[in-house]
Amino acid sequence: MSKSRVDASVLAAPVGFFDSGVGGLSVMQAARRILPHEDLVYFADSAHCPYGSKGGDFVRQRALSISRFLLERGAKAVVVACNSASEAALEFLRLTFPDLEIVGVEPAVKVAQRLSKNKKIGVLGTALTLKGRRFSRLLENFSCGMEVYTQPVAGLVELIEEGRFDSPRTSAILKKNLRPLLDKGIDTLVLGCTHYPLIKETIGAICGPRVEVIDTGEPVARQLWRRLVSTGRLNPGPGEGQSEYFSSGAAAAVTPVMRKIMADPALVVHQSPV
Ligand code: DGL
């Protein structure tokens, strides 16, 4: 879309975000800081969470249905705030909606390459992300001269969905999955799933002060800002942007967890079927 053709209704249109559940809120938090005037619409696919243990075709279909829903809400851009869905569906969504601005996420291997001093990094993610072609291409392009250790994690996303950010079970799963990476002497840990920044403190406490823990919320929000600016779609304000929350799961279960994460009193609307 050229800058000259953008009208006021597009500037005021919301930006859509989606994830298998509450994880993408770690990206939306950063977007709220960087884009204070934008209306944001979040969709948590809680009824189909987790994505990471499912097949690519299933996740692509979910991504398609949810993107259509966000477009119906008038979204001028969609952020695939999920590594697993970005792995499975980003290219497909861009082909399906060529006029829509679509921003994806990926594990922050490039940032880790810059920050790591001993050039040993670990990546925690879902099986779907770490087995994927997009992730292998990322490693081919950006892991030169580094030792990269990957660890697919099972069972953690479900606990985060229940709001159990620092329960004994959460710590036990983390310790089991971090041990092999810490034993390799990593000095940088990449959080390759948007749920994990929500428990960054618990992860940091296990890793200790010598390991830098990095996530992608800020860089993705900055990329979104750049895309909105370069296509002339950034809402210049002065009004304060509003946030809306939808979920394919039960609103009563999802609302308290979202409220734990977001500063605003998130009121989730159940949306079914999408
Ligand atoms: N938050 C997601 C990700 O970044 C999805 C995790 C899952 O549903 O398994 O991969």
Side-chain angles (χ1 to χ4, degrees), residues 62-247:
R62 295 305 307 146
L64 178 64
S65 304
I66 297 165
S67 299
R68 285 199 180 119
F69 168 76
L70 293 170
L71 276 171
E72 280 160 20
R73 309 279 321 166
K76 62 183 170 187
V78 167
V79 179
V80 184
C82 172
N83 289 266
S84 309
S86 294
E87 174 65 53
L90 195 60
E91 283 169 30
F92 167 71
L93 291 179
R94 286 185 173 142
L95 287 172
T96 310
F97 305 107
D99 295 328
L100 180 66
E101 197 56 55
I102 303 177
V103 174
V105 298
E106 64 186 18
V109 172
K110 294 178 220 172
V111 180
Q113 191 192 37
R114 222 176 43 238
L115 293 181
S116 173
K117 294 197 175 60
N118 71 3
K119 300 299 167 202
K120 292 183 187 180
I121 74 161
V123 185
L124 281 188
T126 68
L128 182 58
T129 299
L130 300 180
K131 275 190 324 219
R133 262 190 307 163
R134 221 168 154 252
F135 183 64
S136 338
R137 273 205 306 269
L138 184 72
L139 289 188
E140 268 161 41
N141 293 334
F142 294 98
S143 66
C144 182
M146 288 203 300
E147 289 173 36
V148 181
Y149 301 100
T150 60
Q151 182 69 29
V153 186
L156 191 55
V157 163
E158 291 89 327
L159 293 174
I160 296 170
E161 285 295 309
E162 290 170 13
R164 295 166 69 189
F165 296 169
D166 52 8
S167 71
R169 177 99 187 103
T170 308
S171 294
I173 292 184
L174 280 172
K175 280 181 188 151
K176 180 170 153 253
N177 285 282
L178 287 167
R179 193 72 268 155
L181 304 179
L182 297 172
D183 285 348
K184 295 289 183 189
I186 61 160
D187 71 354
T188 308
L189 177 71
V190 174
L191 303 183
C193 167
T194 54
H195 278 75
Y196 304 161
L198 302 175
I199 55 166
K200 199 170 177 177
E201 270 179 35
T202 315
I203 294 172
I206 296 169
C207 288
R210 281 202 293 273
V211 176
E212 176 113 37
V213 180
I214 52 181
D215 69 73
T216 42
E218 287 286 325
V220 172
R222 276 199 300 274
Q223 170 67 1
L224 172 63
W225 178 85
R226 274 193 295 274
R227 296 304 309 153
L228 293 178
V229 169
S230 71
T231 55
R233 289 185 239 200
L234 186 78
N235 188 336
E240 196 181 310
Q242 304 297 308
S243 304
E244 276 188 296
Y245 301 89
F246 295 89
S247 171

